Amino acid sequence: MKGIVFTEFLELVEEKFGLETVEQIIEQSNLESKGVYTAVGTYKFAEMVSLLTNLSNLTKITPEVLLKTYGLHFFDVLVQNYGSIIASYKDPMELLSSVDKHIHVEVRKLYPDAELPRFQIIEQTDDKLVLIYNSSRSLYAFAIGLIEGSFRYYDETATVNYELLKEDGSSVKFEIIKK
Ligand code: HEM
């Protein structure tokens, strides 16, 4: 997993829960990296799972809620760091239907070692998009946050329904309906 996902995560944890919480979850997580991340480095996905699990235990907030909140915030990080990619889309529906075929393809060129999900388009109209998320990392709640973040960025709103196609969350159907 790319370092930017860790650095921004720990920054948000510090902002919401304080530096002590950051230090506590790093200590509890037994990390190979020792919790020292650079944005362009690559680290084991298992480290994110440990940090998230320990944060969830400490705050009593479910990993799903934490990930969704982080996804919402991460969209703003993407705007700051990859603004030119996002600027090529006129609205969130167009952007979301291009993640798999364009956006993550560009990301892969920048970072050949990126671990990216797949999004299969099932249905697409002006105000409805049905996607199937597939990833062994089961970060579907992070995806929901990113989807909501993209609507917020364009000053639009949507209803996002989801259905786990596999119990472990590695395959999830999203139904995005523009309001
Ligand atoms: C300019 C826009 C975007 C850029 C530059 C971008 C880039 C990235 C990067 C760098 C990662 C980390 C890969 C790794 O850690 O190895 C990632 C992961 C991810 N991206 Fe994107 N992304 C963008 C938009 C989106 C959007 C709009 C969605 C939601 C539909 C999305 C869904 C995800 C998910 C769910 C992951 C986590 C990995 C997984 O689930 O397997 N991305 N993306």
Side-chain angles (χ1 to χ4, degrees), residues 3-16:
I4 191 170
V5 188
F6 289 91
T7 54
E8 294 293 338
F9 177 75
L10 293 177
E11 265 188 44
L12 187 64
V13 173
E14 181 175 348
E15 188 190 308
K16 301 259 183 205

Side-chain angles (χ1 to χ4, degrees), residues 10 91 108 135 152:
L10 293 177
D91 63 58
R108 164 93 48 230
S135 166
R152 185 173 70 179

Side-chain angles (χ1 to χ4, degrees), residues 89-150:
Y89 298 101
K90 65 174 188 343
D91 63 58
M93 290 300 235
E94 198 193 1
L95 182 139
L96 291 169
S97 60
S98 306
V99 172
D100 201 74
K101 287 277 170 305
H102 170 225
I103 298 177
H104 279 171
V105 174
E106 294 304 312
V107 172
R108 164 93 48 230
K109 287 183 199 162
L110 291 170
Y111 312 113
D113 59 354
E115 296 175 305
L116 298 162
R118 296 304 310 261
F119 288 98
Q120 187 191 348
I121 299 174
I122 302 297
E123 193 186 326
Q124 184 175 16
T125 64
D126 284 348
D127 49 14
K128 184 175 174 187
L129 182 61
V130 181
L131 299 171
I132 294 184
Y133 163 91
N134 277 296
S135 166
S136 59
R137 289 162 294 282
S138 301
L139 292 173
Y140 65 90
F142 183 63
I144 295 173
L146 283 166
I147 292 167
E148 291 185 353
S150 55

